[in-house]
Amino acid sequence: MYSLLFKSFFRTKIFLVSLALLLTVGVISIFIGKQYLVKQEKTIAAAQVYQEESIEKNVAYHREDLGLLLYYLRFTLIKRPQNINAISIGQSDVNPLLQAVTIRALEAQKYDTDFENPSLLMSGNLDLGFVIIYLFPLVLIAMTFNLYSEEKELGTWRILAAQTSAKAGFLFKKLLVRILFVFVVLVFLLFLASAILQIPMNTNFWAIFVQSVLYVLFWSALCLWMVSLLRNSSFNALALISIWVVLTILIPALVNNYVINAFQVPEALDAMVEQRDGYHEKWDLEKDATMTEFIKAYPQYKNYPVPEDEFSWIWYYGMQYMGDFAAKDTSAEMTEKIMLRNTVSEKIALFVPTMHAQLSLNSLAGTDVLSHLDFLKSLTEFHKNLREGFYTKIFDHKSADAVDWKNHEAKFYEQDYSFSWLKLLLPTLLITLIIAVLAGLNLRKL
């Protein structure tokens, strides 16, 4: 039976079109991911060279004045890219993988990023995750919407029904042939991506693999349920496409609109403005107003002189610190609201397999918003350690020779890729089982 069904399916135009479409777009998406990785590696290599050359050049110009030298020097923290990022690029096209900062106020530098083509950002990246989330369900719909109705409309169903008592089994076998074809293509593309992108087959790769298989299984169950309603081809096609639009486009858009309005995040510009105001207003105040708060944070510098009638680096960098201090609450509020948005989205996604799959792929690939927030948190700590390491030398009027510049090459941030298998798989698995049981109950009526 299965050999006949496979031969019959392989002779159809939909098989050839689906095979060509999935393989072509899938391979293109893998090479787009490859281009993304190459671009990031080039950027990181250029940043490392730039930092080394910049230190060398500026030290030559400002060797005697360490405070002035560190006004100009930038130090780079790099979020080390992993090849698995290329499977689901997520938000890493707008959230930079590296930040080059001075020891001056951080808030004005934290949200710097490259200019990108807005139309490209709006359409998103054609990565493999996009192909799995959006294209694979459409191919399944195209191959399965008329499994029963075509036989009915062509008048062959009565002949088939007369030849077998297991009518539901026959429909299930036809569906299984198509599902197996889709799974074979999916598995091929995932292993091809692993080979081309040189992704190690670690826990995160297998998690993406299982999540992708489970996602396709969900759509397979949904198509089986629609077939089990025993409606005509037009109804099935329209209903399944409508469900696809609702699950992949409408609900994510509504959820996004809800969280944006329910948890309004202060603009990064607000924190930047508050930082600048907190810094610039100190120029017009008595120096004690600046130094009092600075000394509270760094009491070890309380005996350093701060002349009222002339410029001093301890006062200047104290102003820079106070600028960040003024923006502290706004920055913390922004981070908290972003995390709340993500939490609410994840909770809603537990009941929406398309959203859950997308968020899961981004999280497993390390390209989600929480990964970027962790990077920014690490950047804040990096900046704090950096400036505190220089403060004493600056305030003691040391020269550039007092610093071992070989220790100030670009630093790397190591990302945490941990996850929960239960949280990853259970939501989609339960929904798939429920739909499959409903489809089975309907098919018993045949």
Side-chain angles (χ1 to χ4, degrees):
M1 173 65 77
Y2 278 110
S3 61
L4 290 174
L5 290 174
F6 273 111
K7 289 179 181 178
S8 175
F9 173 60
F10 291 156
R11 293 192 186 110
T12 60
K13 290 182 180 179
I14 190 66
F15 161 74
L16 295 174
V17 172
S18 299
L19 181 64
L21 180 64
L22 289 177
L23 289 180
T24 302
V25 180
V27 171
I28 289 172
S29 71
I30 292 171
F31 279 100
I32 287 175
K34 184 72 172 179
Q35 288 177 348
Y36 164 80
L37 290 177
V38 170
K39 176 185 176 183
Q40 297 301 333
E41 290 297 336
K42 286 182 177 178
T43 301
I44 290 169
Q48 290 176 292
V49 172
Y50 173 80
Q51 178 162 320
E52 184 179 341
E53 292 177 347
S54 175
I55 289 176
E56 184 178 347
K57 184 186 299 182
N58 280 282
V59 166
Y61 278 112
H62 308 293
R63 183 178 298 276
E64 299 304 320
D65 193 339
L66 186 58
L68 182 61
L69 171 62
L70 290 167
Y71 176 92
Y72 293 107
L73 284 185
R74 289 182 174 271
F75 303 88
T76 306
L77 180 66
I78 301 169
K79 180 180 177 183
R80 188 185 296 276
Q82 300 294 327
N83 291 358
I84 200 171
N85 297 165
I87 288 183
S88 185
I89 295 174
Q91 297 189 18
S92 58
D93 53 351
V94 292
N95 295 326
L97 291 181
L98 62 84
Q99 288 276 31
V101 296
T102 68
I103 67 167
R104 288 176 278 138
L106 180 62
E107 289 300 328
Q109 309 174 71
K110 191 184 290 185
Y111 306 101
D112 286 349
T113 184
D114 294 331
F115 289 108
E116 298 284 352
N117 188 327
S119 62
L120 293 178
L121 293 179
M122 182 173 62
S123 60
N125 294 287
L126 184 62
D127 51 30
L128 187 56
F130 180 93
V131 174
I132 293 170
I133 299 295
Y134 292 93
L135 186 57
F136 270 80
L138 287 176
V139 170
L140 266 173
I141 290 171
M143 291 191 301
T144 60
F145 77 97
N146 61 349
L147 282 184
Y148 167 79
S149 55
E150 183 181 40
E151 305 282 0
K152 190 76 172 178
E153 289 158 6
L154 292 175
T156 58
W157 179 252
R158 289 185 179 181
I159 300 173
L160 291 170
Q163 293 176 346
T164 178
S165 58
K167 297 184 286 293
F170 174 75
L171 281 180
F172 180 77
K173 289 174 182 176
K174 282 187 68 177
L175 177 67
L176 188 60
V177 167
R178 286 150 177 78
I179 293 173
L180 286 174
F181 160 71
V182 173
F183 276 123
V184 168
V185 176
L186 174 65
V187 171
F188 172 77
L189 288 176
L190 285 170
F191 281 111
L192 183 65
S194 177
I196 293 176
L197 302 174
Q198 298 180 339
I199 300 171
M201 292 188 182
N202 54 19
T203 307
N204 282 66
F205 173 79
W206 288 114
I208 287 178
F209 182 92
V210 175
Q211 176 61 49
S212 301
V213 168
L214 192 57
Y215 177 73
V216 173
L217 196 61
F218 158 74
W219 278 100
S220 302
L222 195 59
C223 291
L224 177 62
W225 173 73
M226 185 57 62
V227 170
S228 73
L229 296 180
L230 308 180
R231 304 294 294 269
N232 60 53
S233 299
S234 298
F235 176 86
N236 290 349
L238 182 60
L240 285 169
I241 291 297
S242 299
I243 292 172
W244 180 87
V245 170
V246 169
L247 291 181
T248 60
I249 299 174
L250 185 58
I251 291 180
L254 290 175
V255 171
N256 182 63
N257 185 68
Y258 166 72
V259 296
I260 286 175
N261 288 283
F263 307 99
Q264 295 189 9
V265 175
E267 296 287 344
L269 178 62
D270 293 345
M272 187 185 299
V273 169
E274 288 184 5
Q275 177 267 307
R276 288 184 179 275
D277 288 345
Y279 157 67
H280 283 295
E281 69 181 9
K282 300 298 186 295
W283 288 94
D284 302 319
L285 300 175
E286 296 291 331
K287 292 186 178 181
D288 285 345
T290 297
M291 297 312 301
T292 299
E293 294 298 328
F294 181 71
I295 295 303
K296 283 183 181 179
Y298 297 98
Q300 63 268 37
Y301 300 121
K302 64 181 178 181
N303 294 324
Y304 279 66
V306 183
E308 281 288 342
D309 57 346
E310 63 182 65
F311 178 87
S312 62
W313 285 118
I314 188 171
W315 169 67
Y316 177 80
Y317 284 110
M319 286 196 300
Q320 293 288 341
Y321 169 81
M322 291 308 299
D324 275 343
F325 185 81
K328 181 180 178 181
D329 291 341
T330 300
S331 182
E333 181 187 0
M334 181 168 62
T335 300
E336 181 183 0
K337 291 292 182 65
I338 291 174
M339 293 183 70
L340 277 173
R341 284 181 177 184
N342 189 76
T343 300
V344 171
S345 297
E346 285 183 342
K347 288 181 178 179
I348 296 174
L350 295 176
F351 305 96
V352 186
T354 49
M355 281 185 61
H356 181 69
Q358 183 68 75
L359 293 175
S360 297
L361 292 183
N362 288 347
S363 178
L364 292 168
T367 56
D368 60 330
V369 66
L370 291 185
S371 297
H372 184 64
L373 289 179
D374 286 341
F375 174 61
L376 291 183
K377 182 179 178 181
S378 181
L379 178 68
T380 302
E381 189 66 21
F382 169 77
H383 182 266
K384 179 176 183 290
N385 293 335
L386 195 64
R387 57 186 174 79
E388 289 179 352
F390 284 119
Y391 274 169
T392 301
K393 292 183 177 67
I394 296 172
F395 303 158
D396 285 339
H397 307 289
K398 300 288 186 181
S399 70
D401 296 330
V403 179
D404 185 359
W405 296 108
K406 292 181 180 178
N407 292 329
H408 290 284
E409 71 278 2
K411 305 297 184 183
F412 285 88
Y413 157 75
E414 295 294 340
Q415 187 171 339
D416 180 15
Y417 282 87
S418 60
F419 65 94
S420 166
W421 279 103
L422 186 66
K423 183 180 177 182
L424 176 71
L425 303 180
L426 189 60
T428 305
L429 182 60
L430 286 177
I431 293 173
T432 301
L433 288 175
I434 291 171
I435 294 174
V437 168
L438 292 175
L441 293 174
N442 287 338
L443 287 175
R444 291 177 63 183
K445 301 173 184 177
L446 279 172

